[in-house]
């Protein structure tokens, strides 16, 4: 059997004499041909992890979550959760006689309130779910 010989093209490639036209790695000076969607970042803070048992990620960014839910770390995976702080500010309380409001604490954090309502001090000196000021 005759010895195996490399052809001239294979030999040139092995010796690095022919440059391969591979795409450059690193910073590109031309923009990509398809637009990259911007990741949505929603307002509010993620609640403290409560040690979820299911360790499968539900989301990778806030864009993956419906409505005003945020993508948050929940112990061992990411989950779409209601943020503790929602957008907007609590309305100003003007104490008067009689002071109005629920005279018991309805919530402790914004995440305990429905929709866009926030957990704010009320006229009775307690906290309740109210419509925020934007």
């Amino acid at each position: 059997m005759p010895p195996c010989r490399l052809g001239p093209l294979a030999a040139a490639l092995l010796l690095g004499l022919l440059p391969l036209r591979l795409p450059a790695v690193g910073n590109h000076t031309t923009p990509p041909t398809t637009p990259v969607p911007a990741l949505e970042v929603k307002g509010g803070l993620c609640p403290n992890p409560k040690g979820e048992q299911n360790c499968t990620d539900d989301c990778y960014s806030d864009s993956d979550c419906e409505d005003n839910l945020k993508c948050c770390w929940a112990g061992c995976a990411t989950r779409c959760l209601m943020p503790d702080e929602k957008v907007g500010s609590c309305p100003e309380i003007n104490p008067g006689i009689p002071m109005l409001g629920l005279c018991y604490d309805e919530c402790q954090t914004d995440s305990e309130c429905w929709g866009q309502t926030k957990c704010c001090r009320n006229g009775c000196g307690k906290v309740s779910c109210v419509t925020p000021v934007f």
Side-chain angles (χ1 to χ4, degrees):
M1 178 180 257
C4 181
R5 291 182 37 170
L6 295 175
L9 179 60
L13 285 173
L14 284 175
L15 294 173
L17 299 175
L18 291 178
L20 296 176
R21 300 279 181 187
L22 298 176
V25 176
N27 293 335
H28 293 279
T29 56
T30 58
T33 55
T34 56
V36 177
L39 293 178
E40 179 183 4
V41 177
K42 297 178 182 176
L45 300 173
C46 288
N48 289 328
K50 294 184 172 93
E52 295 283 328
Q53 297 301 316
N54 183 352
C55 292
T56 304
D57 289 324
D58 283 348
C59 55
Y60 296 100
S61 73
D62 288 353
S63 308
D64 298 331
C65 301
E66 295 178 357
D67 301 322
N68 56 346
L69 299 179
K70 283 185 72 66
C71 187
C72 300
W73 179 249
C76 66
T78 53
R79 297 263 181 259
C80 290
L81 301 173
M82 184 64 70
D84 271 346
E85 271 188 43
K86 296 181 187 176
V87 294
S89 303
C90 289
E92 189 175 317
I93 299 169
N94 293 322
I97 299 174
M99 296 182 83
L100 300 175
L102 299 172
C103 290
Y104 61 89
D105 289 328
E106 182 182 26
C107 55
Q108 293 178 346
T109 64
D110 287 351
S111 62
E112 295 173 351
C113 297
W114 64 94
Q116 291 186 335
T117 59
K118 292 180 64 72
C119 188
C120 300
R121 290 250 169 242
N122 62 30
C124 196
K126 301 293 184 178
V127 288
S128 56
C129 297
V130 299
T131 302
V133 177
F134 295 101

